[in-house]
Amino acid sequence: MNRIAIVEDNTTVRASLAELVESIPGCECVGTFASGEEGIRLIPKLTPDLVMMDIHLPNLSGIECTAKLKQLLPELRVLILTVYEDGDKIFDALKAGASGYILKRSKPQDIIEAIREILAGGAPMTPEIALKVVESFRKTAAAAPAETVNLSRREIEVLQGLAKGLANKEIADELSVGVETVRWHLKQIYEKLHVRCRTEAALKFLGMKDVGGGT
């Protein structure tokens, strides 16, 4: 059973999302929170697989909340909820560790598909936002000094799968390994590249000038 928590300050939207989550086979809503502060205090105790996070929250923003939760729960997946396609804010959320985003005005079925995609290891986002993210990381990489990271051959293969947009299961099938093995390699990759999400790892890999390939 996939455990999902929701951080959303609008009472009606929060209740609707909880109802939607409960309607998805294999998913359960383990908690709903009206503020980032409440989420940070209580979500770690619930150890959910996914948090649906409103980007615009009072006081502590969804971006700040995402960053703090990822520090406490590195494996946690975060799906950003937003009203507008604000490229800068969505990019900041991805840098903070979010794995994707969905517009609040999306059809219920589209939200369900985004939830399923992110739980499967994907990163749901529109092509327009994905392009902005890629461009931003490329600019950062171009301005940064050359960097050598000692990645193993298998870690490079996993990163190549991420760069192609493959989910964990697809990478596992392609490499003839288990999904848990892919997740273990991802954890090592995040530590070596100093990133917090698969999107940032893939884009940093694409922009890296020198990758040391070990065994």
Side-chain angles (χ1 to χ4, degrees), residues 9-23:
D9 64 323
N10 183 292
T11 304
T12 302
V13 173
R14 191 166 65 247
S16 297
L17 289 172
E19 185 177 351
L20 185 66
V21 166
E22 290 290 345
S23 75

Side-chain angles (χ1 to χ4, degrees), residues 4-10 12-18 20-21 31-33 50-57 61-63 66 77-86 89-90 93-94 98-108 110-112 114-115 118 124:
I4 299 175
I6 298 165
V7 182
E8 163 64 59
D9 64 323
N10 183 292
T12 302
V13 173
R14 191 166 65 247
S16 297
L17 289 172
L20 185 66
V21 166
T32 63
F33 309 96
L50 170 66
V51 171
M52 301 177 71
M53 177 76 67
D54 183 11
I55 201 169
H56 294 292
L57 292 169
S61 74
I63 296 171
T66 294
R77 301 176 184 95
V78 178
L79 178 64
I80 292 294
L81 304 167
T82 180
V83 177
Y84 304 109
E85 275 191 324
D86 185 328
K89 278 190 168 38
I90 292 170
L94 293 171
S99 297
Y101 82 95
I102 187 75
L103 295 176
K104 289 186 182 181
R105 64 174 180 270
S106 299
K107 297 176 182 177
D110 290 336
I111 297 177
I112 290 173
I115 291 171
I118 207 167

Side-chain angles (χ1 to χ4, degrees), residues 57-152:
L57 292 169
N59 301 317
L60 192 71
S61 74
I63 296 171
E64 294 170 302
C65 186
T66 294
K68 290 181 182 295
L69 284 175
K70 289 292 288 185
Q71 289 176 351
L72 296 170
L73 303 168
E75 297 299 313
L76 178 68
R77 301 176 184 95
V78 178
L79 178 64
I80 292 294
L81 304 167
T82 180
V83 177
Y84 304 109
E85 275 191 324
D86 185 328
D88 291 337
K89 278 190 168 38
I90 292 170
F91 175 58
D92 287 342
L94 293 171
K95 285 199 298 181
S99 297
Y101 82 95
I102 187 75
L103 295 176
K104 289 186 182 181
R105 64 174 180 270
S106 299
K107 297 176 182 177
Q109 188 57 41
D110 290 336
I111 297 177
I112 290 173
E113 287 304 316
I115 291 171
R116 285 175 173 160
E117 182 179 351
I118 207 167
L119 286 172
M125 66 181 77
T126 61
E128 292 80 8
I129 294 297
L131 180 59
K132 289 180 181 179
V133 173
V134 170
E135 289 174 346
S136 295
F137 271 103
R138 282 179 176 165
K139 288 177 183 177
T140 301
E147 178 182 15
T148 300
V149 178
N150 187 26
L151 296 170
S152 71

Side-chain angles (χ1 to χ4, degrees), residues 149-165:
V149 178
N150 187 26
L151 296 170
S152 71
R153 177 179 56 82
R154 184 64 86 192
E155 287 165 353
I156 291 174
E157 290 172 343
V158 171
L159 275 168
Q160 288 170 336
L162 287 188
K164 290 189 288 187

Side-chain angles (χ1 to χ4, degrees), residues 49 74-77 99 116-123 157-159 161-187 189-190 197-199 201-202:
D49 301 292
E75 297 299 313
L76 178 68
R77 301 176 184 95
S99 297
R116 285 175 173 160
E117 182 179 351
I118 207 167
L119 286 172
E157 290 172 343
V158 171
L159 275 168
L162 287 188
K164 290 189 288 187
L166 300 181
N168 288 357
K169 179 65 167 61
E170 294 171 313
I171 295 173
D173 290 344
E174 191 173 86
L175 300 180
S176 299
V177 299
V179 175
E180 287 304 317
T181 299
V182 172
R183 288 177 180 155
W184 184 85
H185 283 304
L186 282 174
K187 185 176 180 181
I189 288 167
Y190 290 173
C197 70
R198 60 193 298 115
T199 304

